[in-house]
Amino acid sequence: MINLEIPKKFKPLASQANQVATEVFRPISRKYDEAEHAYPKELDMLASLIDGMNEGSDIGGAGAAGVRREKSDDGSNRNGSNLSTVLGIIELCWGDVGLLLSMPRQGLGNSAIASVATEEQLERYGGKWAAMAITEPEAGSDSAAIRTTAELDGDEYVLNGEKIFVTSGDRADLIVVWATLDRSKGRAAIKSFIVERDNPGLKLDRLEHKLGIRASDTANFTLQDCRVPKEALLGSPEVNVKEGFAGAMQTFDNTRPLVAAMAVGVARASLEETRTRLAEAGVEVDYSTPALCQHAAAARFLEMEADYEAAWLLTLQAAWMADNGRPNSLQASMAKAKAGRTCVDVALGCVELCGSVGYGENELLEKWARDAKILDIFEGTQQIQLLIVARQLLGKSSAELR
Ligand SMILES: Cc1cc2nc3c(=O)[nH]c(=O)nc-3n(C[C@H](O)[C@H](O)[C@H](O)COP(=O)(O)OP(=O)(O)OC[C@H]3O[C@@H](n4cnc5c(N)ncnc54)[C@H](O)[C@@H]3O)c2cc1C
C-alpha cells in the first residue's frame, strides 16, 4: 500500500520547490510567455542551485535528471528519486510548466540517460543538459515508424534523418536521438544515440511558435552524415527481435509519470486560484455538505478537485513503482492519460468558473489553459495512453490492437 502522506524526508524538497515556484517562476511567468524564444536567464542561477541540492542529496532532486530504476537490497519498499522528482515537478509546475521545461540540465533527455545509460555513460554525460528527439514528420504517435538511420562506420555511427518538435533542442548541450540500425528488423532495431549539440552534422532548421509553454523552445533539426562515437549508443547495440521495443520503451516508464506530474502541478495551480476567486465572490467550497446541496460553482469545483486527486494519486503510484523496480508501464500510461486529460479539463473549467477574470491576460488562468494542452499531447497523446492501457488490460499486442 502507498502511504498517502508526503514522506517526511521529501517535505523539505517539496517546500523548496514551492518556494522557487512562488519567488522565481511566477513573477517571470507572463514575461517569457510574451517573449517567446528569449532564454529565461533567471534560470541559470536556479539550475546551479538545484545541481548543488542534488549533489548533496541521496534522494534525487526537484528536476528530471535523477530518475533511475532501482531495487532496495533487502526487498523492502522505498521512496526514491522517481517519487522525489515527481513531487518537485508538481511544485515547480504549479509555478510555471514552460519555465520548468527550460531548466538547464533537467530535460526529458536527462531522464532518458538516467533511465538506461551505463555507469560509464552517466559519468561522461552527467552534468549536461539533454533534450529528447523521437518525433519525425512521418513518426509521431507511432514511434516505431522512425526513419532516421544509424549506420556503423568503423568506430562511429553515422546518423541521417529529420527530427521535429524537440523540446529544449536549441538550448540543450546534448540531444538524445532515436534512430534505427536496420529498418528491415522493425522496432527492435530502434536505439537512442547521444549527439552533442555542436556536432556539425546536426543542423537547426527552425524554432516553433506555439499556443502554450512559450517559454520553452521547440526545435526542428536535420541530421546529415552526423557522426557520433560508438559509445554514444545508449544501452545495448544488440538488435534483439524477441525483446522488440521494450528497451526503448523503458524510458517512457520513467518519463511519463514526470509529464503526468507537470499536468498535476498546472491543475493544482488552476484550482487554487479559482478557490480564491470563488471565495472573493462569496462562494465557499464546503467539504461537509453534499456537492448537490451547494452553489453550482462549488459543486463543479468539487468535481474537478476529485479528478485532480485521482490524477495525483495515479502519478505518485507510477513513480513509486519505478522506485521499487516494479513493472509500471500500465500505471505510467494510466497516470499520463488521467493527468493530461484532467489538466486540460480543470484549466478550462477554472477559466469557465472565473468568467472574464479567467480569460484576461492580467491573470495566469488564461495562460495555464493554453499551457495545459501540450501535457495531453507530448510523451504520448491521451489516445495512445488509452491504447496502451487497453492492450495491457486485455493482454493484446500492438499488432492486435492498434
Ligand atoms: C510543444 C511540443 C513539444 C514536443 N516535444 C517533443 C520532444 O521533446 N521530443 C519529441 O520526440 N517529441 C516532442 N513532441 C512531439 C509529440 O510527442 C508528438 O506531437 C506526439 O507524440 C503526437 O504525434 P503527432 O503530432 O505526429 O500526432 P499524430 O501521431 O499524427 O496523431 C494525431 C492525432 O491522432 C491520434 N492518434 C494517432 N494514432 C492513433 C491511434 N492508433 N488510435 C487513436 N488515435 C490515434 C493522436 O492521439 C492525435 O490526437 C512535442 C510536440 C509539441 C507540440
Side-chain angles (χ1 to χ4, degrees):
M1 283 292 286
I2 297 177
N3 178 358
L4 301 180
E5 296 263 311
I6 291 187
K8 211 165 139 194
K9 67 174 176 176
F10 294 154
K11 281 191 176 157
L13 175 127
S15 142
Q16 278 166 354
N18 184 273
Q19 206 179 340
V20 167
T22 308
E23 289 170 17
V24 184
F25 281 12
R26 286 272 178 107
I28 59 172
S29 195
R30 183 62 75 181
K31 175 177 161 190
Y32 287 104
D33 179 50
E34 283 165 8
E36 193 178 22
H37 299 163
Y39 174 65
K41 52 187 184 319
E42 292 86 344
L43 300 183
D44 279 341
M45 201 176 80
L46 188 59
S48 307
L49 269 172
I50 290 190
D51 289 344
M53 272 158 64
N54 290 353
E55 266 164 33
S57 155
D58 62 347
I59 57 169
V67 295
R68 205 148 163 83
R69 300 179 74 80
E70 282 163 28
K71 228 173 184 165
S72 63
D73 296 337
D74 58 2
S76 62
N77 293 332
R78 62 196 292 275
N79 297 317
S81 61
N82 288 276
L83 194 58
S84 72
T85 302
V86 152
L87 292 171
I89 285 179
I90 291 173
E91 296 303 327
L92 291 171
C93 290
W94 172 89
D96 190 294
V97 63
L99 291 171
L100 181 272
L101 287 165
S102 308
M103 284 277 287
R105 296 179 287 287
Q106 307 300 335
L108 287 178
N110 289 98
S111 318
I113 295 173
S115 300
V116 294
T118 60
E119 290 300 329
E120 197 204 334
Q121 286 169 328
L122 275 182
E123 182 88 5
R124 186 159 355 117
Y125 300 117
K128 297 211 169 159
W129 185 1
M132 183 85 171
I134 304 171
T135 307
E136 300 179 359
E138 304 299 328
S141 294
D142 182 9
S143 32
I146 276 172
R147 291 177 179 193
T148 297
T149 53
E151 258 180 68
L152 192 59
D153 180 23
D155 282 344
E156 293 177 324
Y157 284 102
V158 185
L159 306 184
N160 277 291
E162 198 182 338
K163 291 290 173 187
I164 58 173
F165 288 111
V166 183
T167 298
S168 302
D170 191 32
R171 295 169 184 165
D173 308 308
L174 310 170
I175 318 271
V176 178
V177 172
W178 283 31
T180 172
L181 292 175
D182 182 348
R183 281 202 77 193
S184 70
K185 297 216 167 104
R187 39 186 73 204
I190 295 175
K191 303 283 171 186
S192 45
F193 300 82
I194 298 196
V195 180
E196 305 265 351
R197 180 64 191 80
D198 56 8
N199 187 312
L202 186 69
K203 186 178 148 278
L204 174 75
D205 291 327
R206 68 170 193 278
L207 294 178
E208 295 290 346
H209 291 281
K210 307 189 297 288
L211 171 75
I213 57 160
R214 288 156 57 90
S216 159
D217 72 313
T218 308
N220 294 358
F221 289 105
T222 306
L223 293 132
Q224 200 171 13
D225 294 330
C226 179
R227 291 183 164 269
V228 296
K230 233 161 109 176
E231 300 72 38
L233 186 150
L234 282 176
S236 160
E238 248 173 75
V239 177
N240 183 343
V241 181
K242 260 198 207 144
E243 194 188 52
F245 220 15
M249 285 300 176
Q250 197 187 324
T251 307
F252 285 136
D253 298 344
N254 282 5
T255 54
R256 284 182 174 151
L258 305 188
V259 178
M262 294 176 198
V264 168
V266 174
R268 200 185 89 204
S270 305
L271 285 170
E272 284 183 9
E273 182 63 24
T274 302
R275 186 199 295 275
T276 308
R277 295 290 167 176
L278 289 180
E280 282 167 7
V283 178
E284 289 296 337
V285 180
D286 181 358
Y287 292 92
S288 60
T289 310
L292 279 176
C293 305
Q294 298 191 41
H295 191 290
R300 175 89 174 100
F301 185 92
L302 283 167
E303 192 189 324
M304 291 195 293
E305 199 175 42
D307 260 342
Y308 155 79
E309 284 210 2
W312 178 63
L313 293 175
L314 284 167
T315 303
L316 296 187
Q317 182 190 31
W320 180 87
M321 289 176 80
D323 274 340
N324 287 283
R326 299 194 190 181
N328 72 335
S329 302
L330 172 65
Q331 289 76 12
S333 284
M334 284 167 76
K336 171 72 173 66
K338 179 71 183 171
R341 175 180 292 183
T342 297
C343 176
V344 175
D345 288 352
V346 165
L348 281 174
C350 288
V351 167
E352 190 177 287
L353 282 185
C354 294
S356 54
V357 169
Y359 201 70
E361 279 197 352
N362 295 334
E363 301 296 331
L364 288 172
L365 276 171
E366 172 270 344
K367 179 179 179 296
W368 295 332
R370 286 188 285 108
D371 286 347
K373 187 61 203 173
I374 189 57
L375 303 170
D376 202 29
I377 297 177
F378 66 11
E379 218 57 15
T381 64
Q382 169 74 217
Q383 293 76 12
I384 294 303
Q385 303 307 333
L386 294 181
L387 199 54
I388 294 169
V389 170
R391 280 183 197 139
Q392 296 246 355
L393 294 180
L394 299 172
K396 304 259 186 208
S397 67
S398 50
E400 290 166 323
L401 197 60
R402 52 174 80 211

